[in-house]
Amino acid sequence: MIETATEMRRWVGPADTLAFGAEAIRACLLRLAEPCYLVRIDGRLAATNAGGPGDDPVGGAELLAAVAPIGPERLGSAAFRAAYGLRYAYAAGAMANGIASEELVIALGQQRLLASFGAAGLVPARLEAAINRIQSALPHGPYAFNLIHSPSEEAIERRGVDLYLRYAIRTIEASAFLSLTPHVVRYRAAGLSLDPSGAIVIGNRVIAKVSRREVAEQFLRPAPAAMLAQLVAGGQITTQQAELAARVPMCDDLTVEADSGGHTDNRPLVALLPTLINLRDTIQAELRYNRPVRVGAAGGIGTPEAALAAYSMGADYIVTGSVNQSCREAGASAHTREILAQADVADVMMAPAADMFEMGVKVQVLKKGTLFPVRAQKLYELYRAYNGIEALPAEERATIERQIFRRDLDEIWEGTRAYFAERDPEQLERAAENPRRRMALVFRWYLGLSSRWSNAGEAGRELDYQIWCGPAIGSFNSWERVTYLESAANRSVVDVAEHLMLGAAYLARIQQIRIQGTPVPPQFAHYVPQPR
């Protein structure tokens, strides 16, 4: 029997609408577009979506809780939904090497949900093909493309912006930036203009994914004057665009990235999100933008509880990542999707990043079912200890050639040289007289290919798969266990999005009941996904 701490109230309505029993009560609670009333009549708990509070002290039933409609479309920022033409304040973030694939972006876009294509690590020709396919399937959007900071391969970042401007990509997700670069500033400024009334039109939108206050502040403020002047001098933007860029923030939306897969600082969302919301509010009070920057939440969002927590802390939208990689639309192999579907919260660890290897930057990856994290760390330790391949002790070299590379390191270098001759020739110029730099490029061969092996399902290399993910995948697996989503074969990115959002709205309703002083029986306290 349910207990209540509220004063006696009455519900009045058609008696035949009262639902008794766990399944019938749950069905009433799940009609999120309708109000819901929990009542007690003759000592029995019931629920209904009809009637309402009444003044009759004699008739009707005891009203335990009354909650208003709350659909998933009401969570988060209406401005975010309107800006991108979305049903929900929800986005699927980019996962590099096309893991956030064309299929993933298109599947969500067709349901008016935003996703960002995982452009990081792809050569320009591959990125261009993805642009053509996504624009053909979603001529009116919504979609976004990732622009990842590439301090070790500056040409890749520059060529990405070239393609985005050429194909009129109107939304990018800027990630892993340590500071602003001329390339992301150029993208932002090149889309600025004035409408007939003199108002600034922001043609190129930037969703900045950050995990540090100092980086967040750079995106929350206008582009640096010196960088804008440099772009004007180089003929890359106009004088008017530079003037307009000094009046708008560098981003439209700031995604606060907590303990996520891939590049992450492992910060807890409950600490990081309020900090950066406060920073946004401080800068908005100072600069008074016409359209304040929206702040979203990413990292660790793998359950409806986590989604609702983010919205409750003030997030304008949420971004998922790891949970999408186990879905059938992801650009990952069947083997990778299966072991992701078995992962627990603790089955992740940090490992050296391929794109920022020399800087010691790490990414969060799956440790269950793969030796990649341990082997990658071994390579980084050798890089730190020795000045080049030639300086490696013979025994160490033989071990990594046999266990990790499975090929002679000189042979690996020849392949690496051919790869960078096409991708980024500047890398070869920097390595020509620097043996340590050459060793880094050889070691990055393994770190770079390990993720591609995972995506392609390279037979015989399963123990070397690099699988980016955060603890959210473990919480997701725990939530959907013994449901139809337990099997990776049944997981689609659209279903995942729908159930996370429906579940968050359902739990918001449950929380409203609790706030009214009515304890909720355990059988109603959780959202269980059912096939749609």
Side-chain angles (χ1 to χ4, degrees):
M1 180 180 295
I2 198 163
E3 297 178 356
T4 178
T6 63
E7 296 181 3
M8 178 69 73
R9 296 181 296 166
R10 310 299 295 182
W11 170 85
V12 176
D16 60 0
T17 67
L18 292 173
F20 297 89
E23 290 305 314
I25 291 173
R26 180 185 295 276
C28 286
L29 289 167
L30 280 168
R31 296 187 186 105
L32 299 173
E34 303 176 31
C36 185
Y37 306 97
L38 286 185
V39 305
R40 181 159 48 202
I41 184 166
D42 297 330
R44 300 174 64 198
L45 177 65
T48 178
N49 302 111
D55 297 326
D56 187 345
V58 178
E62 180 184 354
L63 178 61
L64 302 176
V67 289
I70 178 168
E73 68 282 352
R74 298 190 181 197
L75 299 174
S77 166
F80 181 83
R81 296 193 298 271
Y84 298 99
L86 308 176
R87 290 192 295 123
Y88 302 149
Y90 175 100
M95 292 175 285
N97 286 341
I99 295 173
S101 64
E102 294 98 318
E103 291 83 359
L104 185 151
V105 174
I106 292 168
L108 288 169
Q110 288 174 338
Q111 298 300 316
R112 291 172 51 214
L113 298 171
L114 182 63
S116 179
F117 177 76
L122 302 181
V123 297
R126 172 70 178 86
L127 175 55
E128 188 170 14
I131 291 172
N132 285 322
R133 183 175 174 190
I134 291 171
Q135 287 188 329
S136 176
L138 300 171
H140 306 295
Y143 58 81
F145 279 79
N146 182 230
L147 178 69
I148 195 167
H149 183 36
S150 304
S152 299
E153 298 180 66
E154 182 267 347
I156 292 297
E157 190 178 326
R158 181 181 68 246
R159 291 171 186 169
V161 170
D162 288 343
L163 284 172
Y164 295 155
L165 294 177
R166 184 191 313 166
Y167 284 94
I169 300 300
R170 294 306 183 192
T171 305
I172 65 166
E173 183 186 41
S175 61
F177 277 78
L178 303 175
S179 61
L180 295 179
T181 67
H183 309 301
V184 69
V185 171
R186 174 190 166 208
Y187 174 83
R188 180 66 160 176
L192 299 175
S193 62
L194 292 173
D195 68 14
S197 70
I200 298 177
V201 176
I202 298 176
N204 293 340
R205 289 177 294 207
V206 174
I207 302 173
K209 186 185 289 184
V210 302
S211 56
R212 299 187 181 189
R213 181 186 177 93
E214 64 272 19
V215 179
E217 182 158 3
Q218 294 180 57
F219 278 101
L220 289 168
R221 292 187 178 277
M227 203 171 283
L228 291 169
Q230 175 188 347
L231 292 169
V232 171
Q236 294 177 292
I237 62 173
T238 67
T239 301
Q240 183 189 58
Q241 287 169 338
E243 292 172 350
L244 297 178
R247 296 162 52 190
V248 299
M250 265 298 300
C251 70
D252 302 275
D253 301 280
L254 187 83
T255 301
V256 176
E257 184 176 25
D259 194 11
S260 64
H263 289 284
T264 179
D265 285 319
N266 306 108
R267 300 289 183 255
L269 188 64
V270 292
L272 189 59
L273 180 60
T275 299
L276 296 191
I277 288 177
N278 287 338
L279 177 64
R280 183 275 312 272
D281 292 343
T282 299
I283 294 175
Q284 175 62 26
E286 173 193 345
L287 298 180
R288 299 183 181 279
Y289 298 126
N290 289 335
R291 282 172 286 184
V293 175
R294 295 172 292 263
V295 178
I301 299 178
T303 62
E305 288 85 352
L308 178 59
Y311 288 124
S312 299
M313 285 191 292
D316 290 312
Y317 58 96
I318 60 171
V319 178
T320 57
S322 299
V323 298
N324 299 318
Q325 191 173 184
S326 63
C327 296
R328 55 180 178 264
E329 297 92 347
S333 66
H335 177 84
T336 293
R337 295 198 300 272
E338 285 295 334
I339 59 175
L340 279 167
Q342 300 166 21
D344 204 346
V345 172
D347 290 333
V348 295
M349 67 180 292
M350 301 300 290
D355 55 347
M356 301 184 191
F357 178 77
E358 299 92 322
M359 300 168 65
V361 174
K362 294 189 174 185
V363 291
Q364 190 156 227
V365 298
L366 188 69
K367 68 179 179 180
K368 181 176 183 176
T370 174
L371 293 176
F372 168 79
V374 175
R375 290 175 171 176
Q377 183 60 32
K378 173 66 174 179
L379 294 181
Y380 183 69
E381 291 169 358
L382 292 175
Y383 169 76
R384 290 291 303 274
Y386 299 99
N387 198 40
I389 293 173
E390 294 75 16
L392 290 173
E395 184 177 345
E396 288 280 19
R397 175 167 177 163
T399 297
I400 64 174
E401 284 180 336
R402 181 178 67 257
Q403 294 182 352
I404 300 178
F405 291 94
R406 303 188 188 178
R407 291 164 61 183
D408 182 83
L409 292 183
D410 292 333
E411 183 182 346
I412 296 291
W413 169 243
E414 290 305 316
T416 301
R417 182 160 54 185
Y419 172 77
F420 279 107
E422 174 190 356
R423 178 184 174 94
D424 188 0
E426 294 175 17
Q427 297 290 323
L428 299 178
E429 296 173 10
R430 293 167 58 189
E433 304 299 328
N434 187 336
R436 199 155 182 264
R437 176 66 180 164
R438 186 159 66 92
M439 178 169 65
L441 293 182
V442 169
F443 286 180
R444 283 171 57 188
W445 175 92
Y446 173 76
L447 272 70
L449 281 180
S450 57
S451 61
R452 289 175 171 79
W453 292 332
S454 170
N455 296 348
E458 184 77 16
R461 279 289 192 174
E462 289 83 358
L463 290 180
D464 293 294
Y465 284 5
Q466 178 180 186
I467 304 169
W468 299 303
C469 74
I473 189 66
S475 62
F476 178 84
N477 290 336
S478 177
W479 164 52
E480 49 70 27
R481 191 168 292 127
V482 305
T483 76
Y484 83 105
L485 290 175
E486 182 173 13
S487 169
N490 290 336
R491 296 181 182 181
S492 76
V493 288
V494 173
D495 272 11
V496 167
E498 292 284 359
H499 285 306
L500 284 174
M501 294 300 294
L502 284 168
Y506 175 82
L507 294 175
R509 167 163 280 184
I510 297 300
Q511 188 62 16
Q512 289 175 353
I513 293 171
R514 291 190 176 118
I515 289 171
Q516 294 177 50
T518 302
V520 177
Q523 64 264 38
F524 305 125
H526 303 283
Y527 173 83
V528 180
Q530 299 294 332
R532 296 190 308 120

